[in-house]
Amino acid sequence: MSGIAIITGSVSARSKTSALAARIAARLVREGFRVTTIHVRELPAEDLLLGRVDSPALADAARVVAEAAGVVIATPIYKASYTGVLKAFLDLLPQFGLAGKAVLPLATGGTLAHVLAIDYGLRPVLQSLGARHVVAGLFLLDKALRLGEDGLLDIDDELGSKLEEIVKPFIDSVIREGLPLPAREVAA
């Protein structure tokens, strides 16, 4: 297994969702994991929409997911659901494309009315793709997130602690399934 795949469903290059994914990636890297991020918006749109799974870019993205022990899905919520670009990518994965994997769903949105989008919209799709364990996800209100000039996510300590709380069970689930502990943790 290659480590952790992070899939972002944001449609814009400078987004709070992408910054959230980068923050989680940095946290996982600090723990010693190898992380590969797939920004679905950067995949060839025509190949994605026409389902050309054999295109080099889509085949490479699918390979990253297939080789990962864990997958983080980060998406903004629009109209009570995850983005269409993320849906298009997930639809192209094999029927059991997440089999044996721990999955951490993250979502951002403008209103608390969308807080259940992870459980009612995204979680069923992840489970139908065979995810071994979809850990408790986290929905974050856009107004609680600040995107700095440097593109990094600026959040308060309470929300930062909440992010730490949800990442820990994900890491534990990935490790339980056999991804080796990072070397510095094995030696401790």
Side-chain angles (χ1 to χ4, degrees), residues 8-9 26 30 32 44 46 50 55 58 65-66 68 80 83 98 103 108 119 128 134-135 157 161 166 168 178 187:
T8 67
R30 281 193 309 272
E46 186 173 328
L50 296 177
S55 79
L58 293 183
V65 173
T83 62
L98 296 178
V103 180
T108 61
D119 289 330
S128 76
V134 181
V135 299
D157 290 342
S161 294
I166 60 120
K168 179 78 171 100

Side-chain angles (χ1 to χ4, degrees), residues 12-28:
S12 63
R14 185 172 159 80
S15 75
K16 294 174 181 178
T17 304
S18 292
L20 173 64
R23 183 181 179 113
I24 297 297
R27 164 74 163 87
L28 293 168

Side-chain angles (χ1 to χ4, degrees), residues 92-164:
L92 296 179
L93 293 178
Q95 182 177 0
F96 296 106
L98 296 178
K101 300 175 191 326
V103 180
L104 170 61
L106 302 169
T108 61
T111 174
L112 282 176
H114 297 303
V115 74
L116 295 177
I118 289 176
D119 289 330
Y120 289 106
L122 190 53
R123 185 177 301 275
V125 172
L126 301 175
Q127 289 172 328
S128 76
L129 287 168
R132 176 183 50 78
H133 184 202
V134 181
V135 299
L138 185 63
F139 175 86
L140 300 101
L141 279 172
D142 283 338
K143 66 182 178 184
L145 308 173
R146 294 170 302 285
L147 197 55
E149 290 298 320
D150 56 4
L152 298 177
L153 195 62
D154 180 30
I155 57 175
D156 63 39
D157 290 342
E158 183 180 341
L159 190 52
S161 294
K162 193 66 157 170
L163 280 173
E164 289 297 317

Side-chain angles (χ1 to χ4, degrees), residues 12-103:
S12 63
R14 185 172 159 80
S15 75
K16 294 174 181 178
T17 304
S18 292
L20 173 64
R23 183 181 179 113
I24 297 297
R27 164 74 163 87
L28 293 168
V29 167
R30 281 193 309 272
E31 290 294 324
F33 294 102
R34 190 169 8 140
V35 176
T36 303
T37 301
I38 300 165
H39 297 284
V40 180
R41 72 175 175 279
E42 295 175 357
L43 296 173
E46 186 173 328
D47 291 343
L48 191 62
L49 293 175
L50 296 177
R52 294 181 183 143
V53 294
D54 57 346
S55 79
L58 293 183
D60 186 50
R63 180 194 50 76
V64 167
V65 173
E67 292 176 356
V71 177
V72 176
I73 306 280
T75 183
I77 301 298
Y78 300 130
K79 299 182 183 177
S81 186
Y82 55 96
T83 62
V85 71
L86 178 60
K87 171 78 166 111
F89 180 72
L90 293 175
D91 284 349
L92 296 179
L93 293 178
Q95 182 177 0
F96 296 106
L98 296 178
K101 300 175 191 326
V103 180

